[in-house]
Amino acid sequence: MEIPDRGKKRPSSGPDSSISTLYVQDPSGDRQISLKGARLSIGRSKDNDVEISDISASRQHCRLECIQGRWQLEDLRSRNGTMVNGILIRRQPLLPGDKIEIGKTRIYFDLIPEEESAAGPHEDTLALNTEFFLEPELEAPVVDESRVIDERAIFMRLLELSRDLCSILVTEELYEVILQNVIEISGAERGFLITVDDDDLVVAASRNIDRDVIRKSHIQVSQSITRRVLESGEPVLTGDARKDERFLSSASISNLKLESVLCVPLRIRGKVHGAIYIDNRFEKNSFHPGTLRFVSFLADQASIFIENARLFEELRNRQASHQAARQQVEELNRELQELLLAREVEPEQARELMKKGARPDFRHSYDRIVSRSPAMMAVFELLDRVIHTDMPVLVLGESGTGKELVAQAIHQGSGRSVSPFVSQNCAAIPANLLESEFFGHVKGSFTGAHRDKKGLFELADGGTLFLDEIGDMSPDLQAKLLRVLEDGEIRPVGSRDVVKVDVRIVSATNQNIEEQVRIGQFREDLFYRLNVLTVKLPPLRERREDVPLLVDFFVDRACSRLGRERPVIDPRTLYALYHSPWPGNVRQLENEVDRLVALSADVILPEIISTSVLSQKPGEQREPLRGTLRELVAEATESLERQVISATLEQNEWNKSQTARLLGVSRPTLDQKIEKYRILREESKGEDS
C-alpha cells in the first residue's frame, strides 16, 4: 500500500513498501513499529498494541485505523488530548512525516523529518510555555512568532479542558481533572484543591507529579498561605517561601521545606469558597507571573464548573430523597387506608403511622401546611423551584384548601420575607371602596376622606400582596390593576402624583378563571399577567391520608385554646371523619373538630358529629333537596336517629336493655325503632347475604 507524501511517492524503506511504520520516542527509549492489520491502539495500558511509558497518557489514549487505504488517527477522549503537528485533534488523516504528541511522547508516521532529527528525542512536548501568558503589552507590540504559538497552544488546551469539564457532573472527579491539568501545565511538583467547610480547610483533592494521591494531605499545605488567600481573595506567588518576608513567622513553611508556592482563590459570585494550591519543595522560582495568570484564569473557569456540579449533585440527591420519601408515604397511606376500611385502626395508631412518613428535604419550609400526601408533596416540589423568583403566582383550589397558607409560604421562602405580607379578599371589599383600598387616597378626595391613607400596594411595597378571590374583581379595577403590574406605579385617589411600588403578586381563586376569561368576565391580558405560574391545590377528598394528621393537629390546637385535657377519639369517629367528602375541605374539617372538642367530654363519640358531615356517604353525589321544610327536618331527624341507635347498639354489643337506658327510651320503643329503620346486627347482615 502506497501512502502519498504530500503529493510525492514515499521511497521504499524495506522489502514490503506497502507497510507503514511508526517511530516512537518516549521515556523508555526509541523504537520502530510496523503497521500491520487495519487497526492499532496506543496508550499506557499493556492491553494496547503500542504501549507507551508516559504518565501523561491515558490508559486507552488513541487509535490508528486504516480506512480505504489511508491511516487515520482518532483520540479516544483522553485526559490530556492528542496533538498532530502541534494541533489538538479528535480525528485526523495522517501523512508521512506527521508528528503525533502524547504528553512527553513523540510518534512519527512513516518518517522522521530532518528538522526533527536534529532535536533532542526526549524534549518535553507536553509542557506549555506560560511565561508570557496574557502579559499586557507595555510598548509597541512586536510580533513574536514563538510567543504566539505558545499562547495558541495554551488556549487550545484551555478550550479542550473546558469542553471536558462541562461534561463532568461529579465534584470529586471534577477536582481530580482540574488539579491534574494545573500540575501538568504549570510543571508543579504537587497540587492541592482546597475547599472551606465551616471555616475549616478541607483538601478535596491532592496529586503529585506522578499522579499519586498525597498521604496526610491536610498537613502538607501551608496553612498561612492558604488562609491569607482565602481571607484576602488575592493570589499568592512566592519563589523562595522560607525567605519571603510575608511568611517568616510561618512554622508550616519551614517544616514543609517549601521553596516555590502558588495559591489562587476559587470564587463564585464574588465569594471565595476554596483555593488551588501548587508548590515545589526542590526548586526556587519554579513559577512566574505568567503561571499565576494562567492558573488564575483556569481557577475562574473551574469555579463555574464546580458550582454547576455541586448544584447538580444537590438536585440529584434532593430528587432521590423526595422519591424515597414519596414511596414511603404512599406505602403508609395504603396501610392506613386498609386499616380504616376495616375499622381496625385506633386514632393513636393512625397518628403514629402517619408520623413515620418523614417529609422530603425541601429547600424551603412548609411546616405550617399539615400534610404527608403525595399530591401536596408535588405542590411543595413545584414551589421549591419558583419561590426564590419574583414571578407572579396564581393559586387555584376549592374553598378551604389552604390557598393563603401557600401564599404565606411563598412569601416566607422568598427574598421578600423581611418585608410585609398583605392579604386581601377581593370579594370582601365594597365596590365603591375598591380603588381606595388598593391604591389609597389623599385627604379630601371624597366625603369621609379626613386624612391620607395608604393602599394595599403601598403597604406591601417591597413585599408580597396576596389577592384572594380575584374572580370577583370588577372590570374597572381589573384594568387599573393591569396598569400597576405593567408600570409598577399607582396613583392614590384624588392625587396627581404617581407612587412607585415594588410588589410581588400572589393571587387565588376557587372559580374557573379560564372560563371567566372565555366568556369575557375576566380580562385576558390580566389573566396572562397573573398566571405566570399556576399552583393547583388538591381538595381534601383527594388526599384523605391527611385527615388523621389534620384531626390530630386541630384537636391539639382546640384543647390548647380551651385550656382542657385532650379527649380520646373514638375509632368510629375517625372512621366517619376519614370517609366524609368534605366539600368545605380543610376549613370545614377544622370547624367540625373545634365543635367536637367543645361538645365532647372524655371521648369524642360519633353521635355528636354534625349531620351535614354524616349525611353523605363516601363517593355519593349530593342530591338537591326536595320537599317542604317540615319534611326535610323530619328526614334529617330520622337519619340522625337511625345512626345514633345503630352506633349505640354496636357499642353495647346489641344489649338492648343497656342501649335503651343510655338513649333514655323504653325497651319497647327501642324495638319499634329498630324495626322501623330495619337496623340489622353485623352477623345478621352476613347471614342474609
Side-chain angles (χ1 to χ4, degrees):
M1 177 182 63
E2 292 294 331
I3 299 177
D5 183 6
R6 294 172 175 82
K8 298 180 180 180
K9 295 286 185 181
R10 177 176 59 87
S12 176
S13 58
D16 186 357
S17 61
S18 64
I19 298 178
S20 298
T21 305
L22 292 181
Y23 298 89
V24 181
Q25 298 175 354
D26 67 0
S28 67
D30 299 350
R31 60 191 186 278
Q32 299 180 22
I33 298 172
S34 297
L35 295 179
K36 298 178 181 179
R39 181 176 294 182
L40 180 139
S41 60
I42 302 173
R44 187 161 46 88
S45 170
K46 294 181 179 180
D47 299 330
N48 292 286
D49 299 312
V50 178
E51 179 189 353
I52 54 177
S53 56
D54 190 328
I55 62 171
S56 301
S58 299
R59 295 181 61 81
Q60 306 293 333
H61 198 98
C62 59
R63 178 172 58 209
L64 278 166
E65 188 172 9
C66 188
I67 300 175
Q68 296 181 349
R70 188 170 186 182
W71 287 97
Q72 296 193 19
L73 177 67
E74 179 184 5
D75 182 79
L76 301 177
R77 299 191 66 84
S78 61
R79 175 174 290 136
N80 294 315
T82 305
M83 300 179 74
V84 174
N85 301 326
I87 298 176
L88 284 166
I89 60 97
R90 268 294 176 210
R91 192 177 186 89
Q92 174 75 27
L94 294 179
L95 295 174
D98 281 345
K99 179 174 66 175
I100 304 167
E101 295 174 276
I102 301 173
K104 300 176 178 6
T105 300
R106 291 177 176 176
I107 301 175
Y108 296 93
F109 180 72
D110 248 5
L111 61 88
I112 302 177
E114 293 181 3
E115 62 271 18
E116 294 291 338
S117 300
H122 304 309
E123 184 179 337
D124 187 352
T125 59
L126 174 70
L128 301 179
N129 186 0
T130 60
E131 183 176 357
F132 302 105
F133 179 69
L134 294 180
E135 183 179 51
E137 297 284 359
L138 301 179
E139 302 175 357
V142 177
V143 177
D144 184 339
E145 187 175 350
S146 62
R147 177 172 168 182
V148 171
I149 293 174
D150 287 341
E151 287 215 346
R152 183 181 185 279
I154 294 172
F155 277 113
M156 290 298 295
R157 180 65 174 270
L158 284 172
L159 183 63
E160 188 79 4
L161 178 59
S162 296
R163 184 207 62 197
D164 291 341
L165 295 180
C166 278
S167 63
I168 300 175
L169 296 174
V170 179
T171 52
E172 288 78 7
E173 181 182 351
L174 193 61
Y175 294 155
E176 300 288 350
V177 175
I178 292 169
L179 196 56
Q180 190 60 44
N181 278 273
V182 170
I183 292 173
E184 289 177 355
I185 297 176
S186 66
E189 180 214 350
R190 307 185 305 172
F192 306 83
L193 197 148
I194 302 166
T195 60
V196 181
D197 183 15
D198 292 334
D199 203 40
D200 293 329
L201 301 185
V202 178
V203 178
S206 65
R207 282 288 184 275
N208 60 23
I209 194 170
D210 295 321
R211 297 194 177 192
D212 296 326
V213 176
I214 299 173
R215 294 185 177 184
K216 298 181 180 180
S217 57
H218 62 287
I219 61 173
Q220 297 295 319
V221 298
S222 168
Q223 296 276 334
S224 305
I225 293 177
T226 308
R227 288 285 182 189
R228 183 187 185 100
V229 171
L230 294 175
E231 291 171 4
S232 67
E234 296 296 328
V236 166
L237 169 63
T238 177
D240 190 353
R242 283 184 283 179
K243 293 184 179 179
D244 194 315
E245 294 183 356
R246 295 173 294 178
F247 310 113
L248 290 177
S249 61
S250 173
S252 61
I253 291 177
S254 177
N255 294 337
L256 294 171
K257 300 179 180 180
L258 299 178
E259 297 289 359
S260 302
V261 180
L262 173 60
C263 186
V264 301
L266 293 167
R267 296 186 185 88
I268 289 291
R269 291 184 287 274
K271 182 179 179 181
V272 177
H273 64 93
I276 293 177
Y277 175 108
I278 56 177
D279 65 17
N280 191 317
R281 295 170 296 174
F282 306 104
E283 295 182 11
K284 296 179 181 179
N285 301 310
S286 294
F287 314 122
H288 43 72
T291 312
L292 170 59
R293 288 191 294 271
F294 168 76
V295 177
S296 298
F297 184 89
L298 180 56
D300 289 340
Q301 297 296 309
S303 295
I304 299 172
F305 298 123
I306 291 172
E307 179 69 1
N308 288 343
R310 186 191 66 79
L311 292 174
F312 180 82
E313 287 182 340
E314 182 181 301
L315 176 61
R316 184 172 54 192
N317 292 338
R318 184 178 292 115
Q319 288 175 338
S321 169
H322 288 188
Q323 182 65 23
R326 188 185 296 111
Q327 290 175 352
Q328 182 188 24
V329 168
E330 288 175 353
E331 182 61 34
L332 292 172
N333 288 343
R334 283 192 294 270
E335 186 178 344
L336 175 64
Q337 190 168 15
E338 290 172 2
L339 291 171
L340 284 167
L341 289 172
R343 305 192 184 194
E344 296 176 353
V345 65
E346 294 290 334
E348 184 67 28
Q349 183 183 358
R351 183 164 59 250
E352 293 304 318
L353 189 64
M354 288 308 301
K355 286 183 178 178
K356 287 182 183 177
R359 278 192 180 185
D361 183 21
F362 293 111
R363 183 181 302 171
H364 302 284
S365 173
Y366 306 102
D367 292 341
R368 294 191 61 195
I369 304 175
V370 179
S371 179
R372 289 291 188 276
S373 73
M376 288 303 296
M377 297 303 107
V379 170
F380 298 154
E381 288 177 9
L382 174 62
L383 293 177
D384 252 7
R385 294 197 291 268
V386 298
I387 275 183
H388 61 283
T389 70
D390 268 345
M391 65 174 60
V393 179
L394 175 61
V395 186
L396 302 178
E398 296 179 6
S399 179
T401 50
K403 295 187 287 294
E404 184 166 355
L405 285 177
V406 170
Q408 290 174 350
I410 292 172
H411 173 72
Q412 291 299 326
S414 70
R416 298 174 177 266
S417 57
V418 296
S419 300
F421 173 83
V422 179
S423 174
Q424 180 60 55
N425 188 324
C426 299
I429 305 176
N432 60 332
L433 293 179
L434 279 172
E435 189 172 353
S436 173
E437 287 296 319
F438 274 89
F439 310 124
H441 62 254
V442 296
K443 180 179 178 181
S445 56
F446 55 84
T447 302
H450 302 301
R451 57 183 177 83
D452 291 353
K453 177 185 175 181
K454 290 184 177 181
L456 296 173
F457 276 92
E458 280 192 88
L459 292 174
D461 189 28
T464 305
L465 177 58
F466 174 57
L467 301 178
D468 199 5
E469 304 304 342
I470 57 164
D472 296 321
M473 198 178 292
S474 68
D476 182 54
L477 186 60
Q478 290 179 31
K480 293 180 179 179
L481 177 59
L482 178 63
R483 284 200 297 273
V484 176
L485 296 178
E486 289 176 342
D487 304 332
E489 296 177 345
I490 62 168
R491 178 179 285 110
V493 176
S495 174
R496 295 182 178 179
D497 301 325
V498 295
V499 179
K500 281 279 187 182
V501 289
D502 174 24
V503 175
R504 182 182 191 176
I505 298 292
V506 179
S507 53
T509 182
N510 60 5
Q511 302 179 39
N512 189 338
I513 192 72
E514 293 184 355
E515 178 64 16
Q516 287 185 295
V517 171
R518 191 186 67 81
I519 63 178
Q521 289 184 357
F522 198 88
R523 292 181 64 109
E524 185 176 17
D525 46 4
L526 177 59
F527 170 71
Y528 290 129
R529 280 280 183 178
L530 298 174
N531 189 34
V532 177
L533 174 76
T534 302
V535 176
K536 294 183 179 179
L537 300 185
L540 186 55
R541 61 182 173 275
E542 293 181 6
R543 54 182 184 108
R544 293 182 188 276
E545 56 269 35
D546 284 337
V547 170
L549 281 175
L550 290 165
V551 169
D552 184 60
F553 175 78
F554 292 140
V555 167
D556 282 342
R557 194 170 68 176
C559 290
S560 176
R561 190 164 53 240
L562 295 173
R564 58 160 293 179
E565 292 292 324
R566 178 190 172 98
V568 175
I569 304 175
D570 189 288
R572 295 169 301 162
T573 302
L574 184 60
Y575 178 85
L577 296 178
Y578 180 85
H579 287 291
S580 174
W582 299 113
N585 294 292
V586 179
R587 186 182 294 120
Q588 182 189 8
L589 175 62
E590 178 185 5
N591 294 336
E592 182 63 24
V593 172
D594 286 347
R595 177 183 171 279
L596 293 176
V597 172
L599 296 178
S600 66
D602 296 329
V603 181
I604 300 178
L605 296 171
E607 290 79 6
I608 60 175
I609 297 177
S610 302
T611 55
S612 60
V613 174
L614 293 174
S615 60
Q616 188 174 0
K617 296 179 181 179
E620 188 178 65
Q621 296 297 320
R622 187 179 297 276
E623 296 289 337
L625 297 176
R626 297 185 178 90
T628 64
L629 178 60
R630 179 174 297 180
E631 291 171 341
L632 293 173
V633 171
E635 182 182 345
T637 302
E638 289 180 355
S639 175
L640 178 61
E641 191 174 50
R642 182 188 188 286
Q643 293 171 23
V644 171
I645 293 173
S646 178
T648 310
L649 283 167
E650 292 290 340
Q651 184 179 1
N652 291 283
E653 299 180 348
W654 273 75
N655 185 325
K656 294 182 180 180
S657 299
Q658 178 67 16
T659 300
R661 281 195 297 272
L662 287 174
L663 295 177
V665 297
S666 65
R667 170 68 182 268
T669 300
L670 178 61
D671 287 334
Q672 291 174 2
K673 298 286 187 184
I674 292 173
E675 184 178 356
K676 175 183 177 182
Y677 298 131
R678 297 180 181 178
I679 301 174
L680 299 177
R681 197 170 186 174
E682 292 295 330
E683 292 84 349
S684 300
K685 292 179 183 178
E687 292 170 2
D688 293 343
S689 60

